[in-house]
């Protein structure tokens, strides 16, 4: 008796299988929890620090102080953790050889990648919303009483929180696809660290000439900055930035699909 | 055990580690990436400054440091070199090869020391050469209005040679962290955490606190080796920074050694 | 020669091995037997100085492993065939080991030839089959031409040719006067290869004696009987306390009563016997009898 397995049936099966795998991988839980705690703790620390030393800051700095930007400063580092999260979903399978079992169960490799992407995107969105919103609330509570502070109702605040969450979600997806391309945890982590942590520091110091203005704002880290930072004079507008970043992810996805098809497991 | 016997044993272990280092594809690949990044990074940044020179403010033009700019690839290369150091140890634990290695060389301190010496020598030789190449290439970009440096200038030779030294120290730090954690993801996490995340976190703290802690972080201290001028008044001088960095690396190495001798494999 | 004195290893509250005292002598193949979790691998790791004993000691050729000058010249071990970097070639893997102990390069070619991997010497180990990895591990053990050899599950993954080859290799090595310690689960192989046995159970040494003795000791009386009146004979034998199983073709398998006793009973009760034979007892039986109480991981036998 040959059952005809429809695409939707297979897709649901793959999704279920990937969900079980993701929810049972301890390294993912640890990294995810770590990312959440890191974001909230760092926001707390920074804002508490500003609360404590507000008077020592000096008039100029006090005037220039941006409560939301300061609070969400951890978004310059968190992309590394979220990217690693995405990468681990794939590189852990390559590392242990589990990937062969996965492709044996589901020879339609694009479907497997799609299922992983759906889960990383969905879980990433939930985790990033909780992290950024949580960090925001904790941080603003710390600032209150001494420094200017904001609430979610303040114009621009909710947008920054959502933008930040979107940024982290997109980096998680980027991490997944980088993982597919390089297949090794070490290389994926190094690449993500290089792109999101080191590159921005390097290019920031360059003179902002014509060449700079046409290249640097389109780097992933700078696009991400546009999504949540208030000072966007040299950067791309938030909406185009988000679309462009999503475009990068799609390009990575296409490359990943192509390679998956051709390579051995 | 006579000195000659000891020397023979160390030489044998060194030969073994040398063969192991060059017999896997990933090592030359990562080293190549690091070298390319050092050389190309300096070139690209140099070109960026040359093309954007006119748009720099007079103050920025006055404070421009051509040596520093040409060496900035080192900042990116430290990721690769450190990851290499971590993997040099954790790779053996991951496959279980460490047992065979220790069966051949049961003197664990000797093995660890030789691993460090071989990796350190290779990284030092290659990265120093790359630093000099980056310097030369970078300076070739600075014709015309932008000032360029020569090796005879104050602190220049020290900075360029310091680039190679710094990267060597980073590789050894990675090695020590790899030996301490014995797992690739943990070792990489520790390495990136210490070298990358820590300075960024400290940078987010309100100015007084951050400025005071910052210069004493391992990455910051060690970087003074390849900076011509200290970036801020609180920075350590090049030799103090190097000394502190070496202390960090030595401490990590000593801790790794103690644990290596006491633990089961 | 390997000597253990009061060798004990505890991990927190769990005791892996307790008070092991044994000697593995040269010139014969010593088999290391025991259920999973009995402590065989732990003991082998302690011999190689990889795990540190909680108390007691183990000496190789009269010295601690760390005290050996060029360990691979004296001890060769196959612990885990997969413990190789997949990106390395077989040749380079062996070469790096040889260099570590001053073993000349020629030995690498020699052992590769000896185990039959000369043709794939420069191929990535990651592409090897289990059997090939196993043979590479054996090659590594033989590199230094050592006098002491430790093999942990050496026939794992080998085809019948390979199994015969390793059995012959081990017996040859022992005949050359070397000390050979083999740990295996394959009873049939062990019975053909080992001269002497060390049986571990729950971390303790249960037996330390020659193979024949163990089989003889653990063997129960097993007799095969064919009789004219099998039912009556079976009932009478059961009264004596024997276990009697009746095969469909009329054969009676009797356990617990000797052939002599059965013959005399038959004569006394007027039975006609067509067959009265001692059945061979096996190492497997002896082993099960010995370790019955100390199996750590047991799966139920399907009904």
């Amino acid at each position: 008796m040959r059952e005809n397995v429809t695409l939707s049936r297979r897709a649901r099966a793959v999704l279920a299988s990937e969900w079980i795998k993701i929810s049972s991988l301890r390294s993912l839980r640890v990294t995810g929890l770590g990312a959440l705690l890191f974001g909230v703790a760092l926001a707390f620390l920074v804002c508490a620090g500003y609360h404590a030393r507000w008077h020592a800051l000096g008039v100029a700095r006090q005037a220039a102080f941006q409560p939301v930007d300061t609070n969400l400063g951890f978004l310059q580092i968190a992309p590394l953790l979220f990217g690693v999260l995405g990468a681990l979903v794939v590189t852990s399978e390559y590392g242990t050889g589990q990937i062969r079992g996965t492709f044996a169960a589901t020879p339609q490799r694009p479907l497997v990648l799609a299922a992983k992407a759906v889960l990383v995107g969905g879980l990433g969105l939930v985790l990033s919303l909780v992290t950024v919103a949580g960090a925001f609330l904790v941080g603003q509570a710390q600032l209150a009483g001494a420094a200017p502070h904001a609430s979610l109702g303040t114009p621009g605040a909710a947008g920054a929180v959502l933008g930040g969450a979107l940024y982290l979600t997109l980096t998680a997806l980027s991490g997944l696809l980088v993982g597919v391309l390089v297949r090794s945890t070490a290389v994926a982590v190094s690449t993500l660290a290089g792109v999101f942590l080191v590159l921005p520091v390097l290019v920031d110091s360059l003179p902002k000439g014509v060449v700079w203005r046409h290249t640097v704002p389109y780097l992933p880290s700078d696009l991400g900055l546009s999504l949540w930072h208030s000072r966007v004079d040299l950067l791309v507008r938030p909406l185009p930035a988000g679309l462009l970043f999503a475009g990068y992810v799609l390009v990575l996805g296409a490359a990943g699909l192509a390679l998956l098809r051709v390579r051995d497991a | 055990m006579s000195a000659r016997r000891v020397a023979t044993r160390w030489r044998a272990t060194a030969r073994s580690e040398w063969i192991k280092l060059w017999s896997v594809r990933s090592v030359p690949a990562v080293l190549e990436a690091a070298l390319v990044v050092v050389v190309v990074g300096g070139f690209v940044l140099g070109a960026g400054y040359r093309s954007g020179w006119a748009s720099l403010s007079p103050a920025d033009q006055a404070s421009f440091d051509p040596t520093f700019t040409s060496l900035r690839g080192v900042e990116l290369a430290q990721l690769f070199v450190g990851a290499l150091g971590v993997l040099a140890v954790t790779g053996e634990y991951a496959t279980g090869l460490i047992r065979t290695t220790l069966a051949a060389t049961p003197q664990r301190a000797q093995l660890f020391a030789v691993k460090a010496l071989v990796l350190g020598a290779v990284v030092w030789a290659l990265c120093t050469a790359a630093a000099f190449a980056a310097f030369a290439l970078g300076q070739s970009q600075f014709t015309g209005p932008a000032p360029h440096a020569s090796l005879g200038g104050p602190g220049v030779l020290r900075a360029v040679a310091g680039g190679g030294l710094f990267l060597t120290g980073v590789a050894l730090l990675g090695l020590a962290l790899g030996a301490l954690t014995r797992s690739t993801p943990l070792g990489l996490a520790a390495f990136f955490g210490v070298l990358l995340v820590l300075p960024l976190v400290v940078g987010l703290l309100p100015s007084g606190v951050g400025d005071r802690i910052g210069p004493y972080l391992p990455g910051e201290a060690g970087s003074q080796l390849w900076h011509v001028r200290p970036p801020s008044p609180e920075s350590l001088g090049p030799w103090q920074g190097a000394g502190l960095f070496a202390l960090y690396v030595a401490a990590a190495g000593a801790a790794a050694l103690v644990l290596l001798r006491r633990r089961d494999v | 020669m390997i000597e253990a004195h009061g060798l004990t290893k505890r991990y927190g509250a769990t005791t892996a091995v307790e008070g092991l005292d044994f000697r593995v002598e040269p010139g014969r193949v010593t088999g290391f037997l025991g259920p999973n979790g009995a402590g065989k691998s732990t003991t082998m790791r302690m011999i190689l100085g990889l795990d540190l004993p909680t108390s007691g000691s183990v000496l190789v050729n009269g010295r601690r492993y760390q005290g050996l000058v060029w360990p691979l010249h004296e001890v060769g071990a196959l612990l885990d065939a997969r413990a190789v970097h997949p990106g390395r070639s077989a040749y380079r893997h062996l070469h790096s080991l040889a260099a570590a102990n001053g073993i000349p390069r020629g030995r690498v070619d020699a052992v590769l030839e000896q185990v039959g991997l000369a043709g794939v010497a420069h191929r990535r180990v990651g592409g090897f089959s289990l059997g090939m990895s196993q043979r590479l591990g054996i090659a590594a053990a033989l590199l230094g031409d050592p006098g002491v050899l430790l093999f942990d599950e050496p026939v794992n993954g080998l085809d019948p040719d390979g199994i015969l080859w390793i059995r012959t290799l081990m017996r040859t090595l022992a005949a050359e006067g070397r000390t050979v310690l083999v740990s295996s689960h394959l009873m049939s192989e062990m019975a053909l290869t080992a001269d002497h046995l060390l049986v571990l159970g729950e971390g303790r040494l249960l037996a330390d004696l020659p193979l024949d003795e163990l089989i003889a000791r653990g063997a129960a009386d097993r007799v095969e009987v064919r009789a004219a009146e099998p039912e009556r004979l079976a009932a009478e034998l059961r009264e004596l306390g024997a276990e009697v199983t009746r095969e469909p073709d009329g054969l009676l398998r009797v356990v617990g009563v000797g052939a002599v006793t059965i013959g005399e009973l038959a004569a006394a009760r007027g039975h006609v016997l067509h067959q009265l034979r001692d059945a061979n007892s096996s190492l497997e039986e002896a082993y099960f009898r010995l370790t019955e109480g100390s199996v750590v991981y047991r799966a139920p036998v399907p009904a």
Side-chain angles (χ1 to χ4, degrees):
Chain A
M1 176 184 77
R2 251 203 73 186
E3 229 191 285
N4 218 350
V5 183
T6 63
L7 185 62
S8 81
R9 174 115 186 277
R10 195 184 293 282
R12 266 178 291 140
V14 175
L15 209 56
S17 157
E18 288 301 323
W19 166 249
I20 293 169
K21 279 194 287 184
I22 286 180
S23 58
S24 59
L25 198 57
R26 199 181 67 157
S27 56
L28 283 177
R29 276 206 297 271
V30 169
T31 312
L33 203 61
L36 172 63
L37 287 174
F38 176 79
V40 174
L42 193 53
F44 175 85
L45 267 173
V46 172
C47 293
Y50 271 96
H51 180 118
R53 311 196 78 244
W54 183 247
H55 307 289
L57 268 182
V59 179
R61 280 180 143 144
Q62 284 184 355
F65 182 72
Q66 290 287 352
V68 178
D69 286 344
T70 307
N71 190 343
L72 298 183
F74 72 92
L75 286 175
Q76 291 167 55
I77 311 170
L80 177 63
L81 293 170
F82 275 76
V84 169
L85 208 58
L88 274 176
V89 169
V90 152
T91 58
S92 61
E93 288 211 26
Y94 274 103
T96 55
Q98 162 80 40
I99 193 72
R100 286 184 216 133
T102 301
F103 286 151
T106 313
Q108 298 80 3
R109 297 182 185 186
L111 204 55
V112 174
L113 183 60
K116 285 190 189 285
V118 164
L119 285 173
V120 168
L123 289 171
L125 189 60
V126 170
L127 184 65
S128 59
L129 276 172
V130 171
T131 306
V132 181
F136 179 82
L137 293 171
V138 164
Q140 296 307 315
Q142 278 304 303
L143 286 175
H149 59 282
S151 72
L152 279 173
T154 312
V161 170
L162 285 173
L166 181 63
Y167 177 33
L168 292 179
T169 310
L170 287 171
T171 50
L173 283 169
S174 311
L176 173 73
L177 295 169
V178 167
V180 171
L181 289 171
V182 300
R183 297 186 290 183
S184 134
T185 315
V187 179
V189 174
S190 307
T191 311
L192 290 166
V195 168
F196 287 107
L197 292 191
V198 183
L199 216 48
V201 173
L202 277 183
V203 297
D204 195 50
S205 61
L206 284 176
K208 321 281 192 267
V210 173
V211 175
W212 193 100
R213 270 197 283 261
H214 282 108
T215 49
V216 174
Y218 301 96
L219 290 175
S221 48
D222 284 68
L223 288 178
L225 206 61
S226 320
L227 288 173
W228 61 271
H229 203 95
S230 62
R231 220 196 76 220
V232 288
D233 43 340
L234 285 172
L235 301 171
V236 181
R237 308 267 84 191
L239 186 57
L243 289 173
L244 196 52
F245 203 132
Y248 286 165
V249 174
L250 285 173
V251 167
L252 276 178
L257 270 174
L259 278 175
L260 262 188
R261 279 217 158 93
V262 176
R263 279 181 178 155
D264 298 332
Chain B
M1 176 83 20
S2 73
R4 202 149 153 261
R5 286 293 253 341
V6 172
T8 315
R9 284 185 3 184
W10 278 63
R11 242 206 319 266
T13 311
R15 273 193 72 211
S16 173
E17 288 301 316
W18 177 264
I19 295 170
K20 281 202 284 193
L21 198 66
W22 297 110
S23 59
V24 257
R25 262 190 326 229
S26 47
V27 169
V30 172
L31 272 173
E32 245 176 69
L35 299 177
V36 164
V37 159
V38 171
V39 174
V40 168
F43 182 77
V44 165
L45 284 170
Y49 268 96
R50 189 172 83 165
S51 70
W53 185 251
S55 58
L56 276 180
S57 72
D60 283 337
Q61 286 186 354
S63 65
F64 175 69
D65 184 344
T67 309
F68 177 63
T69 305
S70 64
L71 288 176
R72 290 203 71 182
V74 169
E75 268 179 67
L76 255 179
Q78 65 182 337
L79 294 181
F80 294 102
V81 158
L84 192 65
V86 171
L87 284 172
V89 173
T90 61
E92 290 214 23
Y93 278 95
T95 54
L97 182 64
I98 188 72
R99 294 212 183 124
T100 313
T101 304
L102 284 175
T105 312
Q107 298 81 9
R108 299 183 183 190
Q110 174 186 325
L111 177 71
F112 185 58
V114 170
K115 261 196 194 292
L117 279 170
V118 171
L119 184 69
V122 169
V123 170
W124 180 76
L126 291 173
C127 289
T128 305
F132 276 94
F135 176 76
L137 261 173
Q139 299 318 310
S140 72
Q141 290 296 302
F142 300 134
T143 55
H148 73 275
S150 70
L151 281 175
V156 173
L157 186 60
R158 190 262 308 144
V160 179
L165 277 174
F166 174 64
L167 288 175
T168 308
V170 168
L172 293 178
L173 181 65
L175 190 78
L177 290 174
L180 273 171
T181 56
R182 301 188 296 178
S183 117
T184 307
L186 278 180
L188 288 175
F191 175 73
F192 288 126
V194 165
L195 225 56
L196 278 188
V197 176
L198 213 48
L200 286 172
V201 167
V202 167
L204 288 177
L205 295 175
S207 41
V209 183
D211 293 340
R212 262 178 307 160
I213 307 179
Y216 295 92
L217 296 176
E220 302 300 296
S223 296
Q224 299 315 314
L225 261 173
W226 60 273
H227 282 66
V228 179
R229 289 193 292 263
S232 81
E234 288 96 355
S235 300
L236 298 170
W239 299 117
Q240 290 107 314
L244 184 58
F245 183 57
L247 223 61
Y248 280 122
V249 175
L257 203 59
V258 165
L259 283 177
L260 190 66
R261 297 179 85 184
R262 280 224 252 115
R263 278 171 174 163
D264 294 336
V265 178
Chain C
M1 160 131 79
I2 306 171
E3 290 165 85
H5 304 289
L7 196 58
T8 307
K9 178 71 179 171
R10 287 192 201 99
Y11 298 102
T14 327
T15 304
V17 293
E18 176 92 53
L20 294 187
D21 280 290
F22 60 79
R23 271 164 84 150
V24 183
E25 302 273 0
R28 62 189 192 193
V29 178
T30 305
F32 215 3
L33 282 185
N36 280 328
K40 305 193 297 299
S41 297
T42 309
T43 307
M44 281 192 160
R45 285 201 301 270
M46 284 195 282
I47 296 174
L48 295 171
L50 295 172
D51 287 3
L52 307 167
T54 313
S55 67
S57 67
V58 58
L59 303 175
V60 178
N61 294 339
R63 319 249 285 278
R64 285 178 62 241
Y65 193 85
Q66 280 84 350
L68 298 175
V69 179
W70 289 133
L72 296 186
H73 277 126
E74 301 193 48
V75 184
L78 166 64
L79 285 187
D80 176 8
R82 284 306 192 186
V84 276
H85 197 297
R88 222 167 249 143
S89 72
Y91 187 88
R92 302 274 214 121
H93 170 75
L94 291 176
H95 188 202
S96 75
L97 274 183
N101 271 217
I103 298 171
R105 222 166 157 167
R107 281 295 296 164
V108 175
D109 295 294
V111 295
L112 280 172
E113 187 76 49
Q114 198 177 353
V115 303
L117 286 178
V120 292
H122 296 284
R123 235 203 271 166
R124 280 180 76 237
V125 172
F128 278 16
S129 68
L130 181 55
M132 289 161 83
S133 300
Q134 204 74 14
R135 283 189 280 155
L136 180 64
I138 294 168
L142 296 171
L143 257 182
D145 200 21
V148 176
L149 287 143
L150 303 175
F151 294 109
D152 196 351
E153 306 286 345
V155 297
N156 196 9
L158 294 179
D159 61 16
D161 255 349
I163 295 179
L164 179 61
W165 169 78
I166 183 93
R167 189 194 315 150
T168 317
L169 176 70
M170 286 194 280
R171 296 216 56 80
T172 312
L173 292 170
E176 287 170 1
R178 301 177 208 252
T179 307
V180 180
L181 180 63
V182 190
S183 149
S184 179
H185 290 128
L186 278 176
M187 289 299 143
S188 43
E189 258 316 293
M190 199 61 104
L192 290 171
T193 322
D195 304 305
H196 195 93
L197 288 175
L198 293 170
V199 185
L200 281 188
E202 281 183 326
R204 298 197 127 82
L205 199 58
L206 297 177
D208 177 0
L209 30 63
L211 180 73
D212 312 319
E213 244 185 77
L214 178 62
I215 292 179
R217 242 207 249 165
D221 283 322
R222 269 187 168 256
V223 189
E224 286 174 2
V225 188
R226 284 188 196 276
E229 291 163 275
E231 260 83 33
R232 183 164 70 95
L233 183 56
E236 288 165 7
L237 287 173
R238 285 193 188 110
E239 272 169 42
L240 279 181
E243 266 172 57
V244 187
T245 325
R246 196 177 155 188
E247 300 285 321
D249 65 349
L251 179 71
L252 292 178
R253 293 187 188 279
V254 185
V255 180
V257 175
V260 170
T261 317
I262 295 175
E264 288 176 355
L265 172 80
R269 306 283 178 89
H271 283 282
V272 176
L273 294 181
H274 301 151
Q275 178 184 307
L276 179 64
R277 189 174 78 163
D278 266 325
N280 286 334
S281 45
S282 66
L283 173 61
E284 194 175 81
E285 262 182 45
Y287 166 78
F288 280 136
R289 193 148 289 118
L290 196 57
T291 62
E292 231 168 341
S294 46
V295 173
V296 182
Y297 308 113
R298 184 194 297 255
V301 179

